[in-house]
Amino acid sequence: MTTFTKRFGSGLLCVFAAALAACSGSSTESGTGIDDPTQGVPPTTGNTGYFSLSVSDAPIKDATKVCVRFDGVELKHADSDDRETIAFDEPVVVNLLAHQGANSHPIVTNAEVPAGNYQWIRLHVTAERGLSGGANDGDPTSEACDDATEGSYLVRSSSEVHNLFIPSGSQRGLQLIKNITIPANRTGEYTAEWDLGKSFNGPPGLLPDVMMKPVVKLVANNEVGTLTGQVDDGLITLDSCDAEFPPSVYVFDDGVTPNPFDDPFAEDDAIATGLVEQEMMDDGSMQWRYTIGFLLAGNYEAAYTCNGSDFVPLAGKSAEIFVDEVTTVDFALEDAPGTLVGQVASAFFDPEAPESGFCDAGYAPTVFVFGEGIEPNFVDAPLATGDVVLDSTTEQYGYSIPLQAGNYNAAFSCTGTDFIPVSGKAAEILPAAPTTVDFLTDDAPPPVGSLTGTVAVELVEAETCDAEFADAVYVFEEGLTPNGDDAPVATGLVAMDSTELYRYLIEDLVADTYTAAFTCTGVDFVPVDGKPAVISIGEETTVDFVADDAVTPE
């Protein structure tokens, strides 16, 4: 492997304010990061080109400075193991928080390297555990970093200074993989965009050091655009906002539903974030605004959040980014979802209550939300669902479902086959407001079933029967021995049907377990102890009375 080392003194490092024009020239070839050769002195041979690199940041809360010490940059050729090393004569210390949104700070400008394709670049940083990063920062409250710092460091809003530790940062550097092209006699301009919101998402390490696991993407400056916009004041003060969470806008790939951070490298995580901060406008008014720079041209979903878990709007807003242009996406209060909330009658879950017969203990109780006018069904996919859970404090079953403003139809199911009520309940959702829809026992069909069966002719026509008494089946509470003194729960007359069988039918029995017995006197019952009858909701239970039931047990 051949390593070429080029050393650059501070005179060749582009100073942001003085050399802004030289660092941000217009692009002429899309997708390569190649800039106009007139922006710098052309290389001396046709086999070399120029490489420029800047750094930028997506901000975080509770930090006033994130000062990273850069000691050099390394590029690896795509077709060999040869590398180009750009070592700095003096460290370049950059406060990433001072270069947010579409702003960036150059650390390499017009470095002459062999023309060709490169596989990756590596940022050499000093960020080791146990160093005294920031110890000599004379003014932690200013944006300026200590250029002579021993290592990288972070300053919190409280002015506490912490040495910054980046695992393997000093040993191997930060490797950024991207197809990089440096053409002959041209300049390739790139930006390393840091997402500090994700970078500090991991474990904090041991104080006084603070651990950072950098999430950095490398983009070609002529491949990117900017997203900006206003956020309504009302969204900043939503009841759901977390005072410890900075209001932010998250950007997701097209088609990805906005979701909280879980793994910084997960495919459905936000690809960029931006803080929402107050800015003074030209007319003196104050607006809450955000800016997210260095987004590759393409289609995205953007969403606002003030707690990191709830998003406005739920599905995000489409944002199309164009090269070297600014796309505006505003977030209004009307974009905020409302919430469908409510209680579900505990009787559905109480084994002692007849309404529990509507539920399947093996099915997770759920509230389903359909579009307005759509009758609840298990064929069409619902617009949203919410689990019904027990609140241990109130001992009430309830649910909560975020929904965009609109009209819906909601229904409860605890079987996966039936809905309560059958036709659903109308629900009008308003922005940033709760709508209450409860599901009560009255919403369910009556929790009843029926009892039927035949009675043996020997019992109906027995000599002991009272000719003046109407033969009947009596239903008593479970455990009660049939008798003529206690009032039965229900009775059903016995009559001969068209098949010349004696039958009875008792309808609208509340689902429960009972004791049933036949009597043709109103005093004596067959069998003496009765027969168990288990009534299920919406079902017909059969209990027959045969001749042998009249035999008295010994």
Side-chain angles (χ1 to χ4, degrees), residues 189-203:
E189 288 198 346
Y190 292 84
T191 297
E193 170 74 356
W194 297 56
D195 193 330
L196 293 182
K198 290 184 176 182
S199 299
F200 288 102
N201 202 38

Side-chain angles (χ1 to χ4, degrees), residues 36-44 49-50 110 112 185-187:
D36 191 312
T38 61
Q39 296 300 314
V41 178
T44 56
Y50 278 162
N110 294 334
E112 187 177 341
N185 300 319
R186 305 293 294 276
T187 299

Side-chain angles (χ1 to χ4, degrees), residues 19-63:
L20 181 62
C23 296
S24 58
S26 61
S27 302
T28 58
E29 294 189 25
S30 176
T32 64
I34 302 165
D35 202 2
D36 191 312
T38 61
Q39 296 300 314
V41 178
T44 56
T45 74
N47 295 324
T48 58
Y50 278 162
F51 170 70
S52 293
L53 178 66
S54 299
V55 291
S56 182
D57 158 56
I60 58 170
K61 188 181 180 182
D62 193 33

Side-chain angles (χ1 to χ4, degrees), residues 236-290:
I236 305 297
T237 57
L238 291 174
D239 291 341
S240 59
C241 288
D242 181 351
E244 299 300 319
F245 186 90
S248 305
V249 171
Y250 286 19
V251 178
F252 299 85
D253 282 325
D254 188 30
V256 173
T257 299
N259 64 93
F261 284 144
D262 42 31
D263 175 358
F265 302 101
E267 291 184 358
D268 64 348
D269 259 356
I271 63 165
T273 63
L275 285 184
V276 177
E277 301 176 305
Q278 278 194 310
E279 295 182 15
M280 180 174 288
M281 310 310 292
D282 292 340
D283 61 1
S285 64
M286 299 295 292
Q287 288 186 4
W288 290 93
R289 300 191 63 83
Y290 71 95

Side-chain angles (χ1 to χ4, degrees), residues 465-472 474 493 518-525:
C465 288
D466 183 350
E468 301 299 321
F469 184 83
D471 303 333
Y474 279 31
L493 293 178
F518 166 75
T519 182
C520 58
T521 63
V523 178
D524 302 311
F525 292 86

Side-chain angles (χ1 to χ4, degrees), residues 114-166:
N117 295 318
Y118 293 83
Q119 182 181 1
W120 49 252
I121 72 168
R122 181 174 285 161
L123 305 178
H124 292 171
V125 299
T126 299
E128 298 179 19
R129 181 169 289 173
L131 296 181
S132 59
N136 296 319
D137 189 325
D139 187 1
T141 62
S142 74
E143 287 190 350
C145 294
D146 174 14
D147 290 335
T149 181
E150 181 184 22
S152 303
Y153 63 97
L154 173 145
V155 180
R156 296 192 182 278
S157 300
S158 60
S159 296
E160 294 177 89
V161 179
H162 297 275
N163 181 66
L164 200 58
F165 167 57
I166 300 176

